[in-house]
Each structure stands twice: as C-alpha cells, then as structure tokens.
Amino acid sequence: VSIEDGIPIEHSGSWTACVSYNTEAATGAVRLILSKEEGGFGKHIHALAEARDAKGRTALGLASKESLEVIHEYLLFCGRYKLQSGPPEHHT
C-alpha cells in the first residue's frame, strides 16, 4: 500500500511472503514496517492484512504465528478485540 494514502500498489508478493516466513528476521521486518517510528505503515493495517498474493490468499491468512501476533497489535483493539463499525448491537 502507498504510505501516503493506503491505496494498494503492486508489491510482487513481498509483503505476503514476509509475513508468512517463520523467522525472527521476518517478524522483526514486519514490526519495523508497521512501526510509526520506522516504516509508518501501521496506519494502513487493514489494507495490508487484506493484501493478496498471486494465488489470491490474504496476508492475514498466510501470516506465521509470530507475524500474526505483531499484525494483531495494530489490527485489533488492545491487540485482542475486533471492533465493528455501525450502530451498537445493544442498548440498555
């Protein structure tokens, strides 16, 4: 994705390959790419999670356990909860 506006760009499978590797180096690279201080792509985590490889598989689906933990730090509220947009499900 573009750092400026988050629009998907051709990545030749580099992002999906990186998140799928089960190595400390790949996990560190994912952390750096998403980090506000380094890569700054964390603000586009939803687009990055849905980036597809040549076979149409999402980065989120391909991610190794370690990379998935890093991605969830940015993707999920408190690293654990998926927030839904729209009206609340329940009012009291």
Side-chain angles (χ1 to χ4, degrees), residues 1-3 14 17-18 26 37 41 53 57 59 70 77 79 81 91:
V1 296
S2 168
I3 187 71
S14 58
C18 183
E37 295 78 25
F41 283 92
D53 70 356
R57 301 172 295 184
V70 174
F77 180 68
Y81 303 102
H91 280 263

Side-chain angles (χ1 to χ4, degrees), residues 22-53:
N22 190 16
T23 66
E24 285 185 38
T27 304
V30 171
R31 189 174 302 283
L32 284 174
I33 290 166
L34 297 176
S35 168
K36 183 178 180 180
E37 295 78 25
E38 299 291 333
F41 283 92
K43 64 185 176 184
H44 302 302
I45 189 61
H46 293 282
L48 288 169
E50 294 300 317
R52 298 188 178 272
D53 70 356

Side-chain angles (χ1 to χ4, degrees), residues 56-67:
R57 301 172 295 184
T58 65
L60 197 59
L62 290 169
S64 68
K65 179 184 174 206
E66 293 80 7
S67 291

